[in-house]
mmCIF file of all heavy atoms in Angstrom:
data_model
loop_
_atom_site.group_PDB
_atom_site.id
_atom_site.type_symbol
_atom_site.label_atom_id
_atom_site.label_comp_id
_atom_site.label_asym_id
_atom_site.label_seq_id
_atom_site.Cartn_x
_atom_site.Cartn_y
_atom_site.Cartn_z
ATOM 1 N N VAL A 1 3.217 1.812 1.144
ATOM 2 C CA VAL A 1 3.212 1.806 -0.337
ATOM 3 C C VAL A 1 1.836 1.648 -0.825
ATOM 4 O O VAL A 1 0.834 1.052 -0.259
ATOM 5 C CB VAL A 1 3.962 0.325 -0.784
ATOM 6 C CG1 VAL A 1 3.967 0.339 -2.245
ATOM 7 C CG2 VAL A 1 5.480 0.395 -0.243
ATOM 8 N N VAL A 2 1.524 2.537 -1.829
ATOM 9 C CA VAL A 2 0.167 2.762 -2.270
ATOM 10 C C VAL A 2 0.123 2.547 -3.855
ATOM 11 O O VAL A 2 1.033 2.958 -4.575
ATOM 12 C CB VAL A 2 -0.383 4.141 -1.976
ATOM 13 C CG1 VAL A 2 -1.708 4.322 -2.465
ATOM 14 C CG2 VAL A 2 -0.190 4.448 -0.488
ATOM 15 N N PHE A 3 -0.935 1.720 -4.144
ATOM 16 C CA PHE A 3 -1.173 1.773 -5.647
ATOM 17 C C PHE A 3 -2.631 2.431 -5.807
ATOM 18 O O PHE A 3 -3.620 1.956 -5.228
ATOM 19 C CB PHE A 3 -1.241 0.320 -6.312
ATOM 20 C CG PHE A 3 -1.474 0.365 -7.742
ATOM 21 C CD1 PHE A 3 -0.321 0.611 -8.590
ATOM 22 C CD2 PHE A 3 -2.748 0.214 -8.307
ATOM 23 C CE1 PHE A 3 -0.550 0.751 -10.027
ATOM 24 C CE2 PHE A 3 -2.923 0.332 -9.682
ATOM 25 C CZ PHE A 3 -1.900 0.479 -10.622
ATOM 26 N N TYR A 4 -2.601 3.411 -6.473
ATOM 27 C CA TYR A 4 -3.860 4.257 -6.646
ATOM 28 C C TYR A 4 -4.376 4.061 -8.162
ATOM 29 O O TYR A 4 -3.590 3.968 -9.031
ATOM 30 C CB TYR A 4 -3.605 5.754 -6.397
ATOM 31 C CG TYR A 4 -4.654 6.724 -6.929
ATOM 32 C CD1 TYR A 4 -5.713 7.122 -6.171
ATOM 33 C CD2 TYR A 4 -4.651 7.117 -8.266
ATOM 34 C CE1 TYR A 4 -6.763 7.972 -6.611
ATOM 35 C CE2 TYR A 4 -5.606 7.918 -8.772
ATOM 36 C CZ TYR A 4 -6.734 8.307 -8.026
ATOM 37 O OH TYR A 4 -7.667 9.169 -8.429
ATOM 38 N N TYR A 5 -5.699 3.951 -8.237
ATOM 39 C CA TYR A 5 -6.227 3.852 -9.583
ATOM 40 C C TYR A 5 -7.601 4.488 -9.735
ATOM 41 O O TYR A 5 -8.339 4.712 -8.657
ATOM 42 C CB TYR A 5 -6.343 2.472 -10.180
ATOM 43 C CG TYR A 5 -7.136 1.400 -9.402
ATOM 44 C CD1 TYR A 5 -8.345 1.156 -9.899
ATOM 45 C CD2 TYR A 5 -6.700 0.800 -8.287
ATOM 46 C CE1 TYR A 5 -9.304 0.276 -9.146
ATOM 47 C CE2 TYR A 5 -7.483 -0.119 -7.552
ATOM 48 C CZ TYR A 5 -8.799 -0.374 -8.086
ATOM 49 O OH TYR A 5 -9.620 -1.350 -7.401
ATOM 50 N N TYR A 6 -8.000 4.938 -10.939
ATOM 51 C CA TYR A 6 -9.213 5.505 -11.153
ATOM 52 C C TYR A 6 -10.104 4.584 -11.894
ATOM 53 O O TYR A 6 -9.731 4.070 -12.925
ATOM 54 C CB TYR A 6 -8.931 6.862 -11.929
ATOM 55 C CG TYR A 6 -10.241 7.579 -12.162
ATOM 56 C CD1 TYR A 6 -10.747 8.323 -11.248
ATOM 57 C CD2 TYR A 6 -10.810 7.641 -13.424
ATOM 58 C CE1 TYR A 6 -12.001 9.180 -11.349
ATOM 59 C CE2 TYR A 6 -11.973 8.378 -13.693
ATOM 60 C CZ TYR A 6 -12.516 9.150 -12.579
ATOM 61 O OH TYR A 6 -13.678 9.771 -12.860
ATOM 62 N N ASN A 7 -11.375 4.366 -11.393
ATOM 63 C CA ASN A 7 -12.302 3.587 -11.949
ATOM 64 C C ASN A 7 -13.677 4.261 -12.094
ATOM 65 O O ASN A 7 -14.727 3.580 -12.153
ATOM 66 C CB ASN A 7 -12.436 2.257 -11.293
ATOM 67 C CG ASN A 7 -13.013 2.514 -9.881
ATOM 68 O OD1 ASN A 7 -13.233 3.559 -9.397
ATOM 69 N ND2 ASN A 7 -13.017 1.386 -8.933
ATOM 70 N N GLY A 8 -13.547 5.570 -12.195
ATOM 71 C CA GLY A 8 -14.849 6.384 -12.173
ATOM 72 C C GLY A 8 -14.828 7.220 -10.835
ATOM 73 O O GLY A 8 -15.450 8.223 -10.697
ATOM 74 N N SER A 9 -14.087 6.662 -9.873
ATOM 75 C CA SER A 9 -13.737 7.391 -8.580
ATOM 76 C C SER A 9 -12.436 6.936 -8.119
ATOM 77 O O SER A 9 -11.931 5.881 -8.510
ATOM 78 C CB SER A 9 -14.960 7.019 -7.572
ATOM 79 O OG SER A 9 -14.911 5.579 -7.424
ATOM 80 N N PRO A 10 -11.803 7.800 -7.213
ATOM 81 C CA PRO A 10 -10.531 7.491 -6.679
ATOM 82 C C PRO A 10 -10.516 6.116 -5.895
ATOM 83 O O PRO A 10 -11.427 6.018 -5.063
ATOM 84 C CB PRO A 10 -10.123 8.651 -5.913
ATOM 85 C CG PRO A 10 -10.976 9.708 -6.315
ATOM 86 C CD PRO A 10 -12.308 9.052 -6.772
ATOM 87 N N THR A 11 -9.576 5.221 -6.087
ATOM 88 C CA THR A 11 -9.404 4.003 -5.338
ATOM 89 C C THR A 11 -8.032 3.694 -4.962
ATOM 90 O O THR A 11 -7.187 3.873 -5.880
ATOM 91 C CB THR A 11 -10.008 2.810 -6.231
ATOM 92 O OG1 THR A 11 -11.358 3.178 -6.617
ATOM 93 C CG2 THR A 11 -10.085 1.562 -5.412
ATOM 94 N N ALA A 12 -7.719 3.332 -3.885
ATOM 95 C CA ALA A 12 -6.279 2.985 -3.500
ATOM 96 C C ALA A 12 -6.163 1.780 -2.679
ATOM 97 O O ALA A 12 -6.974 1.299 -1.830
ATOM 98 C CB ALA A 12 -5.850 4.180 -2.548
ATOM 99 N N VAL A 13 -5.140 1.038 -3.055
ATOM 100 C CA VAL A 13 -4.701 -0.143 -2.220
ATOM 101 C C VAL A 13 -3.452 0.336 -1.419
ATOM 102 O O VAL A 13 -2.392 0.717 -1.971
ATOM 103 C CB VAL A 13 -4.524 -1.270 -3.222
ATOM 104 C CG1 VAL A 13 -3.975 -2.555 -2.402
ATOM 105 C CG2 VAL A 13 -5.556 -1.696 -4.021
ATOM 106 N N THR A 14 -3.400 0.007 -0.115
ATOM 107 C CA THR A 14 -2.388 0.490 0.661
ATOM 108 C C THR A 14 -1.736 -0.575 1.544
ATOM 109 O O THR A 14 -2.443 -1.473 2.046
ATOM 110 C CB THR A 14 -2.804 1.601 1.713
ATOM 111 O OG1 THR A 14 -3.459 2.683 0.890
ATOM 112 C CG2 THR A 14 -1.662 2.152 2.526
ATOM 113 N N SER A 15 -0.433 -0.641 1.538
ATOM 114 C CA SER A 15 0.352 -1.681 2.317
ATOM 115 C C SER A 15 0.182 -1.562 3.815
ATOM 116 O O SER A 15 -0.015 -0.420 4.342
ATOM 117 C CB SER A 15 1.752 -1.795 1.913
ATOM 118 O OG SER A 15 2.425 -0.564 2.474
ATOM 119 N N THR A 16 0.335 -2.641 4.615
ATOM 120 C CA THR A 16 0.452 -2.459 6.058
ATOM 121 C C THR A 16 1.930 -2.212 6.413
ATOM 122 O O THR A 16 2.185 -1.428 7.154
ATOM 123 C CB THR A 16 0.022 -3.764 6.632
ATOM 124 O OG1 THR A 16 -1.353 -4.052 6.351
ATOM 125 C CG2 THR A 16 0.139 -3.783 8.077
ATOM 126 N N ALA A 17 2.923 -2.802 5.645
ATOM 127 C CA ALA A 17 4.229 -2.631 5.875
ATOM 128 C C ALA A 17 4.698 -1.238 5.451
ATOM 129 O O ALA A 17 4.012 -0.711 4.586
ATOM 130 C CB ALA A 17 5.083 -3.637 5.204
ATOM 131 N N THR A 18 5.830 -0.765 5.975
ATOM 132 C CA THR A 18 6.260 0.552 5.524
ATOM 133 C C THR A 18 7.801 0.407 5.199
ATOM 134 O O THR A 18 8.405 -0.421 5.461
ATOM 135 C CB THR A 18 6.215 1.620 6.701
ATOM 136 O OG1 THR A 18 7.030 1.160 7.848
ATOM 137 C CG2 THR A 18 4.786 1.831 7.136
ATOM 138 N N ILE A 19 8.221 1.373 4.324
ATOM 139 C CA ILE A 19 9.633 1.465 4.081
ATOM 140 C C ILE A 19 10.387 2.299 5.020
ATOM 141 O O ILE A 19 9.727 3.103 5.730
ATOM 142 C CB ILE A 19 9.904 1.970 2.626
ATOM 143 C CG1 ILE A 19 9.390 3.424 2.496
ATOM 144 C CG2 ILE A 19 9.096 1.115 1.593
ATOM 145 C CD1 ILE A 19 9.808 4.105 1.106
ATOM 146 N N SER A 20 11.701 2.116 5.157
ATOM 147 C CA SER A 20 12.551 2.885 6.112
ATOM 148 C C SER A 20 13.159 4.007 5.428
ATOM 149 O O SER A 20 13.534 4.079 4.276
ATOM 150 C CB SER A 20 13.594 1.973 6.617
ATOM 151 O OG SER A 20 13.075 0.834 7.277
ATOM 152 N N ALA A 21 13.224 5.108 6.217
ATOM 153 C CA ALA A 21 13.994 6.308 5.785
ATOM 154 C C ALA A 21 15.468 6.010 5.733
ATOM 155 O O ALA A 21 16.019 5.250 6.410
ATOM 156 C CB ALA A 21 13.699 7.456 6.626
ATOM 157 N N GLN A 22 16.148 6.779 4.765
ATOM 158 C CA GLN A 22 17.589 6.681 4.621
ATOM 159 C C GLN A 22 18.038 5.251 4.318
ATOM 160 O O GLN A 22 19.104 4.771 4.765
ATOM 161 C CB GLN A 22 18.361 7.151 5.882
ATOM 162 C CG GLN A 22 17.820 8.640 6.329
ATOM 163 C CD GLN A 22 18.212 9.599 5.232
ATOM 164 O OE1 GLN A 22 19.222 9.574 4.617
ATOM 165 N NE2 GLN A 22 17.273 10.456 4.992
ATOM 166 N N ALA A 23 17.223 4.547 3.541
ATOM 167 C CA ALA A 23 17.651 3.194 3.103
ATOM 168 C C ALA A 23 17.035 2.882 1.758
ATOM 169 O O ALA A 23 15.881 3.317 1.419
ATOM 170 C CB ALA A 23 17.293 2.156 4.185
ATOM 171 N N TRP A 24 17.627 2.027 0.984
ATOM 172 C CA TRP A 24 17.058 1.556 -0.203
ATOM 173 C C TRP A 24 15.933 0.598 0.084
ATOM 174 O O TRP A 24 16.113 -0.308 0.887
ATOM 175 C CB TRP A 24 18.131 0.906 -1.246
ATOM 176 C CG TRP A 24 18.910 1.877 -1.770
ATOM 177 C CD1 TRP A 24 20.172 2.167 -1.590
ATOM 178 C CD2 TRP A 24 18.471 2.733 -3.016
ATOM 179 N NE1 TRP A 24 20.702 3.159 -2.506
ATOM 180 C CE2 TRP A 24 19.606 3.463 -3.383
ATOM 181 C CE3 TRP A 24 17.386 2.769 -3.763
ATOM 182 C CZ2 TRP A 24 19.634 4.344 -4.435
ATOM 183 C CZ3 TRP A 24 17.472 3.736 -4.792
ATOM 184 C CH2 TRP A 24 18.428 4.536 -5.110
ATOM 185 N N SER A 25 14.799 0.626 -0.511
ATOM 186 C CA SER A 25 13.595 -0.277 -0.462
ATOM 187 C C SER A 25 13.265 -0.707 -1.854
ATOM 188 O O SER A 25 13.226 0.052 -2.687
ATOM 189 C CB SER A 25 12.467 0.414 0.357
ATOM 190 O OG SER A 25 12.926 0.695 1.572
ATOM 191 N N HIS A 26 12.908 -2.015 -1.980
ATOM 192 C CA HIS A 26 12.248 -2.529 -3.158
ATOM 193 C C HIS A 26 10.801 -2.633 -2.993
ATOM 194 O O HIS A 26 10.395 -3.204 -2.019
ATOM 195 C CB HIS A 26 12.926 -3.952 -3.494
ATOM 196 C CG HIS A 26 12.379 -4.505 -4.699
ATOM 197 N ND1 HIS A 26 11.136 -5.171 -4.721
ATOM 198 C CD2 HIS A 26 12.851 -4.471 -6.129
ATOM 199 C CE1 HIS A 26 10.844 -5.575 -6.029
ATOM 200 N NE2 HIS A 26 11.909 -5.161 -6.752
ATOM 201 N N ILE A 27 10.013 -1.932 -3.833
ATOM 202 C CA ILE A 27 8.660 -2.081 -3.765
ATOM 203 C C ILE A 27 8.185 -2.524 -5.135
ATOM 204 O O ILE A 27 8.742 -2.250 -6.214
ATOM 205 C CB ILE A 27 7.972 -0.655 -3.466
ATOM 206 C CG1 ILE A 27 8.351 0.389 -4.375
ATOM 207 C CG2 ILE A 27 8.453 -0.233 -2.018
ATOM 208 C CD1 ILE A 27 7.555 1.730 -4.192
ATOM 209 N N ALA A 28 6.974 -3.275 -5.136
ATOM 210 C CA ALA A 28 6.443 -3.792 -6.416
ATOM 211 C C ALA A 28 4.947 -3.954 -6.191
ATOM 212 O O ALA A 28 4.426 -4.069 -4.972
ATOM 213 C CB ALA A 28 7.098 -5.072 -6.683
ATOM 214 N N MET A 29 4.192 -4.012 -7.272
ATOM 215 C CA MET A 29 2.810 -4.442 -7.335
ATOM 216 C C MET A 29 2.523 -5.191 -8.542
ATOM 217 O O MET A 29 3.154 -5.171 -9.476
ATOM 218 C CB MET A 29 1.843 -3.114 -7.264
ATOM 219 C CG MET A 29 1.990 -2.359 -8.515
ATOM 220 S SD MET A 29 1.033 -2.813 -10.015
ATOM 221 C CE MET A 29 -0.628 -3.029 -9.435
ATOM 222 N N THR A 30 1.593 -6.257 -8.314
ATOM 223 C CA THR A 30 1.128 -6.930 -9.492
ATOM 224 C C THR A 30 -0.381 -6.904 -9.531
ATOM 225 O O THR A 30 -1.076 -6.700 -8.460
ATOM 226 C CB THR A 30 1.461 -8.481 -9.307
ATOM 227 O OG1 THR A 30 1.010 -9.077 -8.201
ATOM 228 C CG2 THR A 30 3.020 -8.596 -9.370
ATOM 229 N N LYS A 31 -0.881 -6.957 -10.711
ATOM 230 C CA LYS A 31 -2.346 -7.119 -10.974
ATOM 231 C C LYS A 31 -2.678 -8.440 -11.607
ATOM 232 O O LYS A 31 -2.019 -8.746 -12.732
ATOM 233 C CB LYS A 31 -2.882 -5.873 -11.711
ATOM 234 C CG LYS A 31 -4.395 -5.963 -11.891
ATOM 235 C CD LYS A 31 -4.959 -5.042 -12.996
ATOM 236 C CE LYS A 31 -4.791 -5.579 -14.371
ATOM 237 N NZ LYS A 31 -5.403 -4.792 -15.418
ATOM 238 N N THR A 32 -3.540 -9.174 -11.189
ATOM 239 C CA THR A 32 -4.070 -10.395 -11.791
ATOM 240 C C THR A 32 -5.583 -10.345 -11.752
ATOM 241 O O THR A 32 -6.189 -9.511 -11.242
ATOM 242 C CB THR A 32 -3.445 -11.701 -11.115
ATOM 243 O OG1 THR A 32 -4.104 -11.833 -9.835
ATOM 244 C CG2 THR A 32 -1.975 -11.615 -10.937
#
């Protein structure tokens, strides 16, 4: 799961965990 944002240059936050194929997955992100 990736949250990408632009702050003048490309920046990405990437999860260690992965979602499974052929299955529903819940994904979320928060910013504080």
Side-chain angles (χ1 to χ4, degrees):
V1 176
V2 179
F3 187 82
Y4 164 93
Y5 63 99
Y6 182 75
N7 60 8
S9 61
T11 306
V13 179
T14 305
S15 70
T16 301
T18 59
I19 63 171
S20 300
Q22 303 301 317
W24 283 105
S25 297
H26 181 275
I27 62 175
M29 65 77 61
T30 60
K31 184 193 83 168
T32 67

